C-alpha cells in the first residue's frame, strides 16, 4: 500500500514577555543552585579525604537524593526520545562522578594525591562545563533575552511597513520636509509606484506644505511622478501621496467591479472563479 502523506502544521506561538521573564529568573535561580551544589560537592569530597568513614555514606545519600530530584524535574513533561535520554545521562554525570570520588576515598585509606587530583579535576570540569545546565538547555532552550526599554528614552513607533519607517527617519524627522507626519495605508501599485496617506501626528494640526522637489531628491524619483493631493471627505490633517504610475489592475474581482459590473450587470459582485472544464457525465 502506498504510504499516506504526512500533514505538517506550523503554529506560531505568540510571545509572552511575562512568561519569558519568569523563565529567565528561573534559569538564574537554577544557575545559582548548580554553582552552590558544585561548591557543596567539592567540600564534601574534600572532607572525605580526611574523614572518609564519617562522610562517605551521608555524602552518597545526599548526592543521590539531589541528583535524582533534579533528574525528575528535568524529565517531567518531556517527550520520550533520544534527546531526553542524552540529556538525562548528561545530567547524571556530575553526581555519578562525585559518588565515585566518595567511594574511592572510602577504599583508599588516608589522603592520597590521586584523590586530590581527581577532586580538583571534577570541581573544575563541573564548574566550567556545567553538564546539568547543558542538559536543561537541551530540552528547554531559553527564550530570547527580554530587552527592557529605558524610561528616559521613549521612541515613537515608526510603523511596521518599510516605507513608513523610511518616511519617519528621512522625511518626518525634525527639520525634514514633512516633520510631524506619519505614512499610513501604504499600497504598492506598480514596480516603482505606490500610494499612501500622509497623516499629521498632532491632532488638529494640518499636514505641512511638503516640498515635492525636496521629496524627489530624497526618493531619487522624477518630480512629475510625485503628487500630494487632498483626500475627498477628509480635512487638512491628511493628504494623499501618489508616486509613479499605477499599473493596470489584473485581479479578476477588481476588473469585474470596475469595468464589467457597472455596464453589463449592475449590482453584481464576483465571489469566485473556477478554472478548468465543467464536470459532467461520461460522453
Amino acid at each position: 500500500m502506498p504510504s499516506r502523506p504526512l500533514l505538517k502544521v506550523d503554529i506560531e506561538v505568540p510571545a509572552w514577555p511575562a512568561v519569558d521573564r519568569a523563565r529567565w529568573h528561573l534559569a538564574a535561580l537554577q544557575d545559582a543552585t548548580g554553582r552552590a551544589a558544585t561548591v557543596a560537592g567539592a567540600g564534601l569530597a574534600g572532607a572525605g579525604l580526611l574523614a572518609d568513614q564519617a562522610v562517605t555514606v551521608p555524602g552518597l545519600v545526599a548526592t543521590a537524593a539531589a541528583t535524582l530530584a533534579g533528574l525528575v524535574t528535568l524529565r517531567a513533561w518531556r517527550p520520550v526520545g533520544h534527546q531526553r535520554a542524552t540529556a538525562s545521562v548528561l545530567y547524571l554525570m556530575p553526581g555519578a562522578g562525585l559518588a565515585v570520588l566518595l567511594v574511592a576515598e572510602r577504599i583508599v585509606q588516608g589522603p592520597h594525591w590521586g584523590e586530590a587530583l581527581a577532586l580538583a579535576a571534577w570541581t573544575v570540569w563541573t564548574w566550567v562545563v556545567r553538564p546539568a545546565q547543558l542538559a536543561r538547555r537541551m530540552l528547554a532552550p531559553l527564550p530570547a533575552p527580554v530587552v527592557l526599554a529605558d524610561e528616559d528614552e521613549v521612541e515613537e513607533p515608526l510603523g511596521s511597513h518599510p516605507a513608513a519607517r523610511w518616511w519617519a527617519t528621512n522625511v518626518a524627522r525634525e527639520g525634514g520636509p514633512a516633520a510631524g507626519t506619519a505614512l499610513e495605508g501604504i499600497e504598492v501599485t506598480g514596480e516603482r509606484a505606490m500610494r499612501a496617506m500622509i497623516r499629521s501626528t498632532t491632532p488638529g494640526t494640518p499636514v505641512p506644505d511638503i516640498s515635492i522637489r525636496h521629496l524627489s531628491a530624497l526618493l531619487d524619483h522624477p518630480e512629475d511622478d510625485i503628487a500630494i493631493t487632498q483626500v475627498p471627505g477628509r480635512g487638512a490633517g491628511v493628504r494623499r501621496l501618489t508616486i509613479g504610475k499605477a499599473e493596470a489592475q489584473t485581479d479578476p474581482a477588481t476588473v469585474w467591479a470596475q469595468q464589467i459590473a457597472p455596464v453589463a450587470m449592475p449590482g453584481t459582485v464576483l465571489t469566485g472563479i473556477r478554472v478548468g472544464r465543467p464536470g459532467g457525465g461520461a460522453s
Side-chain angles (χ1 to χ4, degrees), residues 14-283:
W16 293 342
V19 175
D20 291 345
R21 282 193 292 270
R23 290 186 61 190
W24 275 102
H25 291 322
L26 178 61
L29 178 61
Q30 290 172 341
D31 180 71
T33 304
R35 297 289 186 188
T38 301
V39 173
L44 187 65
L49 289 175
L50 304 175
D52 51 7
Q53 300 294 329
V55 173
T56 302
V57 175
L60 287 173
V61 173
T63 301
T67 302
L68 292 178
L71 185 63
V72 169
T73 62
L74 175 75
R75 294 170 61 91
W77 305 296
R78 299 291 190 273
V80 178
H82 294 293
Q83 190 174 17
R84 190 174 79 162
T86 303
S88 300
V89 172
L90 190 62
Y91 191 88
L92 288 172
M93 291 175 69
L98 181 59
V100 170
L101 274 175
L102 292 173
V103 172
E105 291 172 353
R106 180 67 179 266
I107 296 174
V108 179
Q109 298 298 323
H112 190 274
W113 66 268
E115 295 175 342
L117 182 61
L119 173 58
W122 178 88
T123 303
V124 172
W125 175 76
T126 306
W127 187 272
V128 175
V129 178
R130 307 301 307 283
Q133 186 184 67
L134 291 178
R136 290 194 180 277
R137 298 293 181 273
M138 183 183 298
L139 295 182
L142 285 175
V146 180
V147 180
L148 300 178
D150 190 352
E151 295 181 357
D152 297 333
E153 298 181 3
V154 180
E155 298 182 357
E156 294 292 333
L158 300 182
S160 57
H161 197 282
R165 293 196 296 268
W166 179 88
W167 181 275
T169 303
N170 297 276
V171 183
R173 60 179 175 80
E174 185 177 355
T181 63
L183 204 62
E184 299 177 345
I186 301 164
E187 302 176 51
V188 178
T189 57
E191 184 177 354
R192 296 195 64 190
M194 62 167 285
R195 60 172 173 258
M197 297 281 287
I198 304 173
R199 177 183 59 83
S200 174
T201 55
T202 304
T205 301
V207 173
D209 294 331
I210 303 173
S211 170
I212 299 295
R213 187 164 177 266
H214 197 164
L215 194 58
S216 171
L218 284 173
L219 291 168
D220 192 18
H221 197 85
E223 296 179 58
D224 295 340
D225 280 353
I226 302 175
I228 299 176
T229 57
Q230 298 181 6
V231 179
R234 301 293 302 274
V238 292
R239 286 291 183 264
R240 169 75 68 184
L241 170 66
T242 306
I243 300 174
K245 300 293 190 296
E247 296 179 357
Q249 292 288 345
T250 57
D251 176 56
T254 303
V255 173
W256 181 278
Q258 295 180 353
Q259 301 180 20
I260 300 177
V263 178
M265 303 180 68
T268 59
V269 178
L270 190 65
T271 59
I273 300 173
R274 179 178 296 176
V275 179
R277 298 176 59 185
S283 58

